[in-house]
Coordinates of all heavy atoms in Angstrom, one line a residue:
M1 N 114.0 213.8 -245.3 CA 113.1 212.7 -245.5 C 113.9 211.5 -246.0 O 114.7 211.9 -247.0 CB 111.9 213.0 -246.3 CG 111.1 211.9 -246.7 SD 109.6 212.3 -247.6 CE 110.2 212.6 -249.2
R2 N 113.7 210.4 -245.6 CA 114.5 209.2 -246.2 C 113.6 208.3 -246.9 O 112.4 208.1 -246.4 CB 115.3 208.5 -245.0 CG 116.1 207.4 -245.5 CD 117.0 206.9 -244.4 NE 118.3 207.7 -244.5 CZ 118.8 208.5 -243.4 NH1 118.2 208.6 -242.4 NH2 119.8 209.1 -243.7
S3 N 114.0 207.9 -248.0 CA 113.1 207.0 -248.9 C 113.8 205.7 -249.1 O 115.1 205.7 -249.5 CB 112.7 207.7 -250.2 OG 112.0 208.8 -250.0
L4 N 113.2 204.6 -249.1 CA 113.7 203.3 -249.4 C 112.8 202.7 -250.5 O 111.5 202.7 -250.2 CB 113.6 202.3 -248.2 CG 114.2 201.1 -248.3 CD1 115.7 201.0 -248.6 CD2 113.8 200.2 -247.0
T5 N 113.4 202.2 -251.6 CA 112.5 201.7 -252.7 C 113.1 200.2 -252.9 O 114.4 200.0 -253.2 CB 112.8 202.4 -253.9 OG1 112.4 203.9 -253.8 CG2 112.0 201.9 -255.1
L6 N 112.3 199.3 -252.6 CA 112.5 197.8 -252.9 C 111.7 197.5 -254.1 O 110.6 197.3 -254.0 CB 112.0 197.1 -251.7 CG 112.7 197.4 -250.4 CD1 112.0 196.6 -249.2 CD2 114.3 197.1 -250.4
G7 N 112.4 197.3 -255.2 CA 111.8 197.0 -256.6 C 111.5 195.5 -256.6 O 112.3 194.7 -256.1
A8 N 110.5 195.2 -257.3 CA 110.0 193.7 -257.5 C 111.2 193.1 -258.3 O 111.3 191.9 -258.4 CB 108.8 193.7 -258.4
D9 N 112.0 193.8 -259.2 CA 113.0 193.3 -259.9 C 114.3 192.9 -259.1 O 115.5 192.5 -259.5 CB 113.5 194.1 -261.0 CG 113.9 195.5 -260.5 OD1 114.0 195.8 -259.4 OD2 114.4 196.3 -261.4
G10 N 114.3 193.1 -257.7 CA 115.4 192.9 -256.9 C 116.4 194.1 -256.6 O 117.4 193.9 -256.0
R11 N 116.0 195.3 -257.2 CA 116.9 196.4 -257.1 C 116.5 197.1 -255.7 O 115.2 197.3 -255.5 CB 116.8 197.4 -258.2 CG 117.4 196.9 -259.5 CD 118.9 196.6 -259.6 NE 119.4 197.9 -259.4 CZ 120.7 198.1 -259.1 NH1 121.5 197.1 -258.9 NH2 121.3 199.3 -258.8
V12 N 117.5 197.8 -255.1 CA 117.1 198.7 -254.0 C 117.8 199.9 -254.1 O 118.9 200.1 -254.7 CB 117.6 197.9 -252.5 CG1 119.1 197.6 -252.5 CG2 117.2 198.8 -251.4
S13 N 117.2 201.0 -253.5 CA 117.7 202.3 -253.5 C 117.4 203.1 -252.2 O 116.1 203.0 -251.9 CB 117.2 203.2 -254.7 OG 117.6 204.5 -254.7
Q14 N 118.2 203.7 -251.6 CA 117.9 204.5 -250.5 C 118.3 205.9 -250.6 O 119.7 206.1 -251.1 CB 118.5 203.9 -249.1 CG 118.1 204.8 -248.0 CD 118.7 204.1 -246.6 OE1 118.3 203.0 -246.4 NE2 119.4 204.9 -245.9
S15 N 117.5 206.9 -250.5 CA 117.8 208.5 -250.8 C 117.4 209.1 -249.5 O 116.6 208.7 -248.7 CB 117.3 208.9 -252.0 OG 116.0 208.8 -252.0
V16 N 117.9 210.4 -249.5 CA 117.6 211.3 -248.5 C 117.4 212.7 -249.0 O 118.2 213.1 -250.0 CB 118.6 211.4 -247.4 CG1 119.9 211.9 -247.8 CG2 118.1 212.1 -246.2
R17 N 116.3 213.5 -248.7 CA 116.2 214.8 -249.2 C 116.0 215.7 -248.0 O 115.2 215.4 -247.0 CB 114.9 214.9 -249.9 CG 114.5 216.2 -250.5 CD 113.3 216.1 -251.2 NE 113.2 217.5 -252.0 CZ 113.4 217.6 -253.3 NH1 113.7 216.6 -254.1 NH2 113.3 218.8 -253.8
S18 N 116.9 216.8 -247.9 CA 116.6 217.7 -246.8 C 116.0 219.0 -247.3 O 116.4 219.6 -248.3 CB 118.1 217.9 -246.2 OG 119.1 218.2 -247.3
V19 N 115.2 219.5 -246.4 CA 114.4 220.6 -246.7 C 114.1 221.3 -245.3 O 114.2 220.8 -244.3 CB 112.9 220.4 -247.4 CG1 113.2 219.8 -248.7 CG2 112.1 219.6 -246.7
G20 N 114.0 222.6 -245.6 CA 113.7 223.4 -244.2 C 113.1 224.7 -244.5 O 112.9 225.2 -245.7
G21 N 112.5 225.4 -243.5 CA 112.0 226.6 -243.8 C 111.5 227.3 -242.5 O 111.4 226.8 -241.5
G22 N 111.1 228.6 -242.6 CA 110.6 229.3 -241.6 C 109.6 230.3 -242.1 O 109.0 230.1 -243.1
G23 N 109.3 231.3 -241.3 CA 108.3 232.3 -241.6 C 108.4 232.9 -243.0 O 107.3 233.0 -243.7
N24 N 109.6 233.2 -243.5 CA 109.6 233.9 -244.9 C 110.9 233.2 -245.5 O 111.2 234.0 -246.3 CB 109.7 235.2 -244.8 CG 110.8 235.9 -244.0 OD1 111.6 235.1 -243.4 ND2 110.9 237.2 -243.9
W25 N 111.3 232.1 -245.3 CA 112.5 231.6 -246.0 C 112.1 230.0 -246.1 O 111.4 229.5 -245.4 CB 113.7 231.7 -245.3 CG 113.8 231.1 -243.9 CD1 113.3 231.5 -242.8 CD2 114.4 229.8 -243.7 NE1 113.7 230.7 -241.8 CE2 114.4 229.6 -242.3 CE3 115.1 228.9 -244.6 CZ2 114.8 228.4 -241.7 CZ3 115.5 227.7 -244.0 CH2 115.5 227.5 -242.6
S26 N 112.9 229.4 -247.1 CA 112.8 228.0 -247.3 C 114.1 227.6 -247.9 O 114.7 228.3 -248.7 CB 111.5 227.6 -248.1 OG 111.7 228.0 -249.4
A27 N 114.4 226.4 -247.8 CA 115.6 225.8 -248.3 C 115.4 224.4 -248.7 O 114.7 223.6 -248.0 CB 116.8 225.9 -247.3
D28 N 116.0 223.9 -249.8 CA 115.7 222.6 -250.4 C 117.2 222.1 -250.9 O 117.8 222.6 -251.7 CB 114.8 222.6 -251.6 CG 114.5 221.1 -252.1 OD1 115.3 220.2 -251.8 OD2 113.6 221.0 -252.9
G29 N 117.7 221.2 -250.0 CA 119.1 220.7 -250.3 C 119.2 219.7 -251.3 O 120.2 219.1 -251.7
G30 N 117.8 219.2 -252.0 CA 117.9 218.3 -252.9 C 117.9 216.9 -252.4 O 118.0 216.7 -251.2
E31 N 117.8 215.9 -253.4 CA 117.8 214.6 -253.0 C 119.1 213.9 -253.3 O 119.6 214.2 -254.5 CB 116.6 213.8 -253.8 CG 116.5 212.5 -253.4 CD 115.2 211.8 -254.0 OE1 114.4 212.5 -254.4 OE2 115.0 210.6 -253.6
R32 N 119.5 213.1 -252.5 CA 120.9 212.5 -252.6 C 120.7 211.0 -252.3 O 120.0 210.5 -251.4 CB 121.8 213.0 -251.7 CG 123.2 212.3 -251.6 CD 124.1 213.2 -250.5 NE 123.6 213.1 -249.1 CZ 124.0 212.1 -248.3 NH1 124.6 211.0 -248.7 NH2 123.3 212.2 -247.1
T33 N 121.2 210.2 -253.3 CA 121.3 208.7 -253.1 C 122.3 208.2 -252.1 O 123.4 208.6 -252.3 CB 121.4 207.9 -254.4 OG1 120.4 208.4 -255.4 CG2 121.5 206.5 -254.4
E34 N 121.8 207.6 -251.1 CA 122.9 207.1 -250.0 C 123.3 205.8 -250.5 O 124.6 205.5 -250.3 CB 122.1 206.9 -248.7 CG 121.7 208.2 -248.1 CD 121.0 208.0 -246.8 OE1 120.1 207.1 -246.7 OE2 121.5 208.8 -246.0
F35 N 122.7 204.9 -251.2 CA 123.3 203.6 -251.8 C 122.0 203.0 -252.6 O 120.9 203.4 -252.6 CB 123.6 202.6 -250.7 CG 122.6 201.8 -250.0 CD1 122.0 200.7 -250.7 CD2 121.9 202.2 -249.0 CE1 121.0 200.0 -250.1 CE2 120.9 201.6 -248.2 CZ 120.4 200.5 -248.8
S36 N 122.6 202.2 -253.5 CA 121.8 201.5 -254.5 C 122.4 200.1 -254.7 O 123.6 199.9 -254.5 CB 121.4 202.2 -255.8 OG 122.7 202.4 -256.5
G37 N 121.6 199.1 -255.1 CA 122.0 197.8 -255.3 C 121.0 196.8 -255.5 O 120.0 197.1 -256.0
R38 N 121.2 195.6 -254.8 CA 120.2 194.6 -254.9 C 119.8 194.3 -253.5 O 120.4 194.5 -252.6 CB 120.9 193.4 -255.5 CG 121.4 193.6 -257.1 CD 121.5 192.5 -257.9 NE 120.3 191.5 -257.9 CZ 119.2 191.7 -258.7 NH1 119.1 192.8 -259.3 NH2 118.3 190.8 -258.7
W39 N 118.6 193.7 -253.4 CA 118.1 193.3 -252.0 C 117.5 191.9 -252.0 O 117.2 191.3 -253.2 CB 117.1 194.3 -251.6 CG 115.7 194.2 -252.4 CD1 115.4 194.7 -253.5 CD2 114.5 193.5 -251.9 NE1 114.1 194.5 -253.8 CE2 113.5 193.7 -252.9 CE3 114.2 192.7 -250.8 CZ2 112.3 193.1 -252.8 CZ3 112.9 192.1 -250.5 CH2 112.0 192.3 -251.7
M40 N 117.5 191.3 -250.8 CA 116.8 190.0 -250.7 C 116.4 189.8 -249.2 O 116.9 190.6 -248.4 CB 117.8 188.8 -251.1 CG 118.9 188.5 -250.3 SD 119.7 187.1 -250.8 CE 120.9 186.9 -249.5
V41 N 115.6 188.8 -249.0 CA 115.2 188.5 -247.6 C 115.7 187.2 -247.3 O 115.5 186.2 -248.1 CB 113.6 188.7 -247.4 CG1 113.3 188.1 -246.2 CG2 113.3 190.0 -247.7
R42 N 116.2 187.0 -246.0 CA 116.7 185.7 -245.6 C 116.5 185.7 -244.1 O 116.9 186.5 -243.4 CB 118.2 185.6 -245.9 CG 118.7 184.1 -245.5 CD 120.3 184.1 -245.7 NE 120.8 184.5 -246.9 CZ 122.0 185.0 -247.0 NH1 122.8 185.0 -246.1 NH2 122.6 185.3 -248.1
D43 N 115.8 184.6 -243.5 CA 115.5 184.3 -242.1 C 115.2 185.6 -241.5 O 115.6 185.8 -240.3 CB 116.9 183.8 -241.6 CG 117.4 182.5 -242.1 OD1 116.6 181.8 -242.6 OD2 118.6 182.3 -242.3
G44 N 114.1 186.3 -242.0 CA 113.5 187.3 -241.3 C 114.4 188.6 -241.3 O 114.0 189.6 -240.6
S45 N 115.5 188.7 -242.2 CA 116.2 189.9 -242.2 C 116.3 190.4 -243.6 O 116.3 189.6 -244.6 CB 117.8 189.6 -241.7 OG 117.8 189.3 -240.3
L46 N 116.5 191.7 -243.7 CA 116.7 192.2 -245.1 C 118.2 192.2 -245.3 O 118.9 192.7 -244.5 CB 116.0 193.6 -245.0 CG 116.2 194.6 -246.3 CD1 115.5 193.8 -247.5 CD2 115.7 196.0 -246.0
W47 N 118.6 191.9 -246.5 CA 120.0 191.8 -246.9 C 120.2 192.8 -248.1 O 119.3 192.7 -249.0 CB 120.5 190.5 -247.3 CG 120.4 189.5 -246.0 CD1 119.5 189.1 -245.3 CD2 121.7 189.1 -245.5 NE1 120.0 188.3 -244.2 CE2 121.3 188.2 -244.3 CE3 123.0 189.2 -245.6 CZ2 122.3 187.6 -243.5 CZ3 124.1 188.6 -244.8 CH2 123.6 187.9 -243.7
V48 N 121.2 193.5 -248.3 CA 121.6 194.4 -249.3 C 123.0 194.0 -250.0 O 123.8 193.7 -249.2 CB 121.2 195.9 -249.0 CG1 119.8 196.2 -248.7 CG2 122.2 196.2 -248.0
Q49 N 122.9 194.2 -251.3 CA 124.4 194.2 -251.9 C 124.4 195.4 -252.6 O 124.0 195.6 -253.6 CB 124.4 193.0 -252.9 CG 125.7 192.8 -253.6 CD 125.7 191.7 -254.7 OE1 124.5 191.4 -255.2 NE2 126.8 191.1 -254.8
P50 N 125.2 196.4 -252.0 CA 125.4 197.7 -252.6 C 126.2 197.5 -254.0 O 126.9 196.6 -254.1 CB 126.3 198.4 -251.8 CG 126.1 197.8 -250.3 CD 125.8 196.4 -250.7
D51 N 125.9 198.3 -255.0 CA 126.5 198.2 -256.2 C 128.0 198.2 -256.1 O 128.6 199.0 -255.3 CB 126.1 199.4 -257.1 CG 124.6 199.3 -257.6 OD1 124.1 198.2 -257.7 OD2 124.1 200.4 -258.0
G52 N 128.7 197.4 -256.9 CA 130.1 197.4 -256.9 C 130.7 196.5 -255.7 O 131.8 196.3 -255.6
Q53 N 129.8 196.0 -254.8 CA 130.2 195.1 -253.7 C 130.1 193.7 -254.0 O 129.2 193.3 -254.7 CB 129.5 195.4 -252.4 CG 129.6 196.9 -252.0 CD 131.2 197.2 -251.6 OE1 131.9 196.4 -250.9 NE2 131.8 198.1 -252.3
P54 N 130.9 192.8 -253.5 CA 131.0 191.4 -254.0 C 129.9 190.6 -253.3 O 129.5 189.3 -253.7 CB 132.4 190.8 -253.7 CG 132.8 191.8 -252.5 CD 132.1 193.1 -252.8
R55 N 129.3 191.0 -252.1 CA 128.5 190.1 -251.4 C 127.2 190.9 -250.7 O 127.5 192.2 -250.4 CB 129.2 189.2 -250.3 CG 129.9 189.9 -249.3 CD 130.7 189.1 -248.3 NE 131.6 188.4 -248.8 CZ 132.9 188.6 -249.0 NH1 133.4 189.8 -248.5 NH2 133.8 187.9 -249.7
F56 N 126.3 190.2 -250.2 CA 125.2 190.8 -249.5 C 125.6 191.0 -248.0 O 126.3 190.1 -247.6 CB 124.0 189.9 -249.6 CG 123.3 190.0 -250.9 CD1 123.6 189.2 -252.0 CD2 122.1 190.8 -250.9 CE1 122.8 189.2 -253.1 CE2 121.5 190.9 -252.1 CZ 121.7 190.1 -253.2
V57 N 125.2 192.0 -247.4 CA 125.2 192.2 -246.0 C 124.0 192.4 -245.4 O 123.0 193.0 -245.9 CB 126.3 193.4 -245.7 CG1 127.6 193.2 -246.2 CG2 125.7 194.6 -246.4
A58 N 123.9 192.0 -244.1 CA 122.6 192.1 -243.4 C 122.4 193.7 -243.1 O 123.2 194.3 -242.5 CB 122.7 191.4 -242.0
A59 N 121.2 194.0 -243.5 CA 120.8 195.5 -243.2 C 119.9 195.5 -241.9 O 119.8 196.5 -241.4 CB 119.9 196.1 -244.4
G60 N 119.4 194.4 -241.4 CA 118.5 194.4 -240.3 C 117.3 193.5 -240.3 O 117.0 193.0 -241.4
R61 N 116.9 193.3 -239.3 CA 115.5 192.5 -239.1 C 114.4 193.4 -239.7 O 114.6 194.5 -239.6 CB 115.2 192.0 -237.6 CG 116.4 191.5 -237.1 CD 116.4 190.0 -236.8 NE 115.1 189.2 -236.7 CZ 114.9 188.0 -237.3 NH1 115.7 187.6 -238.0 NH2 113.7 187.5 -237.0
Y62 N 113.4 192.7 -240.2 CA 112.2 193.6 -240.6 C 110.9 192.9 -240.2 O 110.8 191.7 -239.9 CB 112.1 193.6 -242.1 CG 111.7 192.3 -242.8 CD1 110.4 192.4 -243.2 CD2 112.6 191.4 -243.1 CE1 109.9 191.1 -243.8 CE2 112.2 190.3 -243.7 CZ 110.9 190.1 -244.1 OH 110.4 189.0 -244.7
R63 N 109.9 193.7 -240.1 CA 108.4 193.2 -239.7 C 107.6 194.2 -240.4 O 107.9 195.4 -240.6 CB 108.3 193.1 -238.3 CG 108.4 194.3 -237.4 CD 108.3 193.9 -236.0 NE 108.7 195.0 -235.2 CZ 107.8 196.0 -234.8 NH1 106.6 196.1 -235.2 NH2 108.1 197.1 -234.2
F64 N 106.3 193.8 -240.5 CA 105.3 194.7 -240.9 C 104.5 195.1 -239.8 O 104.1 194.2 -238.9 CB 104.3 194.0 -242.0 CG 105.2 193.8 -243.2 CD1 105.7 192.7 -243.6 CD2 105.3 194.9 -244.1 CE1 106.5 192.4 -244.8 CE2 106.1 194.7 -245.3 CZ 106.5 193.5 -245.7
S65 N 104.0 196.3 -239.6 CA 103.2 196.7 -238.6 C 102.1 197.6 -239.2 O 102.3 198.8 -239.4 CB 103.9 197.6 -237.5 OG 103.0 198.0 -236.4
G66 N 100.9 197.0 -239.5 CA 99.8 197.6 -240.3 C 100.4 198.0 -241.6 O 101.0 197.1 -242.3
P67 N 100.3 199.2 -242.0 CA 100.7 199.6 -243.3 C 102.1 200.0 -243.4 O 102.7 200.5 -244.4 CB 99.8 200.9 -243.6 CG 99.7 201.5 -242.2 CD 99.5 200.3 -241.3
Y68 N 103.0 199.7 -242.2 CA 104.2 200.1 -242.1 C 105.2 199.0 -242.2 O 105.0 197.9 -241.9 CB 104.5 201.0 -241.0 CG 103.7 202.2 -240.7 CD1 102.7 202.1 -239.9 CD2 103.9 203.3 -241.4 CE1 101.8 203.1 -239.7 CE2 103.0 204.4 -241.3 CZ 101.9 204.3 -240.4 OH 101.2 205.3 -240.2
L69 N 106.5 199.2 -242.9 CA 107.5 198.2 -242.8 C 108.5 198.8 -241.7 O 108.8 200.2 -241.8 CB 108.3 198.2 -244.1 CG 109.6 197.5 -244.3 CD1 109.4 196.0 -243.8 CD2 110.3 197.7 -245.5
V70 N 108.8 198.1 -240.7 CA 109.8 198.4 -239.7 C 111.0 197.6 -239.9 O 111.0 196.4 -239.9 CB 109.1 198.1 -238.4 CG1 110.2 198.5 -237.2 CG2 107.8 198.8 -238.2
T71 N 112.2 198.3 -239.9 CA 113.6 197.8 -239.9 C 114.2 198.0 -238.7 O 114.1 199.2 -238.2 CB 114.3 198.2 -241.2 OG1 114.5 199.6 -241.2 CG2 113.6 197.7 -242.5
E72 N 114.9 197.0 -238.2 CA 115.8 197.3 -236.9 C 117.1 196.8 -237.1 O 117.3 195.7 -237.6 CB 115.1 196.7 -235.6 CG 113.8 197.2 -235.4 CD 113.0 196.6 -234.3 OE1 113.5 196.8 -233.1 OE2 112.0 195.8 -234.5
N73 N 118.2 197.5 -236.7 CA 119.5 197.0 -236.6 C 120.2 197.6 -235.5 O 119.6 198.3 -234.6 CB 120.3 197.2 -238.0 CG 120.3 198.6 -238.4 OD1 120.3 199.5 -237.4 ND2 120.3 199.1 -239.6
A74 N 121.5 197.4 -235.4 CA 122.3 198.0 -234.1 C 122.3 199.6 -234.1 O 122.4 200.1 -233.0 CB 123.7 197.6 -234.3
Q75 N 121.9 200.2 -235.2 CA 121.8 201.7 -235.1 C 120.4 202.1 -234.9 O 120.3 203.4 -234.5 CB 122.2 202.3 -236.5 CG 123.7 202.3 -236.9 CD 124.1 200.8 -237.3 OE1 123.3 200.1 -237.9 NE2 125.4 200.4 -236.7
G76 N 119.5 201.3 -234.7 CA 118.1 201.7 -234.2 C 117.0 201.1 -235.2 O 117.3 200.1 -235.8
R77 N 115.9 201.8 -235.1 CA 114.6 201.4 -235.7 C 114.3 202.5 -236.7 O 114.3 203.7 -236.4 CB 113.5 201.1 -234.7 CG 112.3 200.7 -235.3 CD 111.3 200.7 -234.4 NE 111.6 199.7 -233.2 CZ 111.2 199.7 -232.0 NH1 110.3 200.6 -231.7 NH2 111.5 198.8 -231.1
L78 N 113.9 201.9 -237.9 CA 113.3 203.0 -238.8 C 112.0 202.4 -239.3 O 111.7 201.1 -239.5 CB 114.2 203.1 -240.2 CG 115.5 203.7 -239.9 CD1 116.3 203.6 -241.3 CD2 115.4 205.1 -239.6
V79 N 111.0 203.4 -239.4 CA 109.6 203.0 -239.7 C 109.3 203.5 -241.2 O 109.5 204.9 -241.3 CB 108.6 203.5 -238.7 CG1 107.2 203.2 -239.2 CG2 108.8 203.0 -237.4
W80 N 109.0 202.7 -242.0 CA 108.8 203.1 -243.5 C 107.4 203.2 -243.8 O 106.7 202.1 -243.6 CB 109.6 202.2 -244.4 CG 111.2 202.1 -244.1 CD1 111.5 201.1 -243.3 CD2 112.1 202.9 -244.5 NE1 113.0 201.3 -243.3 CE2 113.4 202.5 -244.0 CE3 112.3 204.1 -245.3 CZ2 114.5 203.0 -244.2 CZ3 113.4 204.7 -245.6 CH2 114.6 204.1 -245.0
Q81 N 106.9 204.2 -244.3 CA 105.5 204.2 -244.7 C 105.3 204.1 -246.2 O 106.2 204.5 -247.0 CB 104.9 205.8 -244.5 CG 103.5 205.9 -244.8 CD 102.9 207.3 -244.3 OE1 103.6 208.0 -243.5 NE2 102.0 207.8 -244.9
R82 N 104.3 203.5 -246.6 CA 104.0 203.1 -248.1 C 103.8 204.3 -248.8 O 103.1 205.2 -248.4 CB 102.9 202.1 -248.0 CG 103.1 201.0 -248.9 CD 102.0 200.0 -248.9 NE 102.5 198.7 -249.5 CZ 101.9 197.8 -249.9 NH1 100.6 198.0 -249.8 NH2 102.4 196.7 -250.3

């Protein structure tokens, strides 16, 4: 599961948690931060500045679809649930 947190203070964090399981087993790989930094919106695109980097980079276009935030870039589309 991937999580994106856009804070009102301009901070952003993206993390991933891997879990799995079967009939009588389960595994939890824990949560790992993929990046953190600052975020902003410009011209319909989400921009991020990862911690330690000198400038913002475009993370992709965004739009809202009902209760979801949809982000799209060259790698594909992600749908984020609130």
Side-chain angles (χ1 to χ4, degrees):
M1 176 175 74
R2 184 165 272 122
S3 297
L4 178 67
T5 303
L6 300 170
D9 63 353
R11 296 288 303 162
V12 61
S13 168
Q14 182 172 308
S15 60
V16 65
R17 181 178 191 107
S18 50
V19 296
N24 61 355
W25 66 276
S26 65
D28 184 346
E31 189 166 353
R32 176 178 59 87
T33 299
E34 293 181 310
F35 77 88
S36 62
R38 301 202 49 80
W39 71 278
M40 71 174 185
V41 170
R42 182 188 314 155
D43 299 326
S45 291
L46 177 65
W47 292 70
V48 296
Q49 180 185 27
D51 288 335
Q53 297 299 309
R55 63 181 59 95
F56 281 85
V57 295
R61 308 258 330 141
Y62 78 94
R63 63 186 167 84
F64 293 98
S65 179
Y68 304 103
L69 170 66
V70 180
T71 58
E72 298 180 72
N73 60 28
Q75 287 75 40
R77 177 184 306 154
L78 291 172
V79 179
W80 305 94
Q81 183 175 340
R82 231 177 195 190

